[in-house]
Amino acid sequence: MDEELAADFGAMGAEIAPSSASAAADRDVYEVWPCNWEALRVFIGCQTQWRMLATPAGLYHLGLDYPAIDVVMRRLRVSDPDGHVFDQIQDMEAAALSAFAEGRQ
């Protein structure tokens, strides 16, 4: 947990135990190129905005709710005049849909 998040919890009166070095070492760490950072922020912000289909065989992810992407982008103050961030989000959406499909097999 970073210092800013710990301070936010502290401001609400919640005490958070410091994470141990071994716990931090056990987590996967990924580098994000600066050119992809805004799209990743928006994609993560949309994590609960998947359109789903419930069938007797199970739940199926259909894709992201595109109006929600616009709301998240505005809330995060992400400017995308050329549509590049949206294109990146669609690429991540396609990869996620593929991974969800593999998980059903």
Side-chain angles (χ1 to χ4, degrees):
M1 174 181 312
D2 66 15
E3 292 178 22
E4 183 180 353
L5 185 57
D8 289 345
F9 276 110
M12 294 184 290
E15 292 185 32
I16 305 297
S19 60
S20 68
S22 63
D26 290 341
R27 287 182 279 174
D28 291 331
V29 178
Y30 300 94
E31 182 177 349
V32 178
W33 291 349
C35 62
N36 297 326
W37 183 245
E38 294 298 327
L40 180 62
R41 287 180 59 223
V42 174
F43 188 76
I44 291 171
C46 293
Q47 64 185 325
T48 61
Q49 300 303 315
W50 287 95
R51 290 185 182 234
M52 307 285 291
L53 175 64
T55 72
L59 288 173
Y60 293 87
H61 290 81
L62 301 176
L64 285 170
D65 181 51
Y66 283 7
I69 294 172
D70 185 55
V71 171
V72 171
M73 289 179 73
R74 281 187 279 127
R75 292 287 184 177
L76 294 177
R77 293 181 176 88
V78 173
S79 177
D80 189 27
D82 61 359
H84 184 67
V85 172
F86 186 75
D87 291 343
Q88 291 176 304
I89 292 166
Q90 285 187 306
D91 289 342
M92 288 186 278
E93 175 191 33
L97 288 170
S98 178
F100 292 143
E102 286 177 16
R104 284 195 305 271
Q105 296 174 1

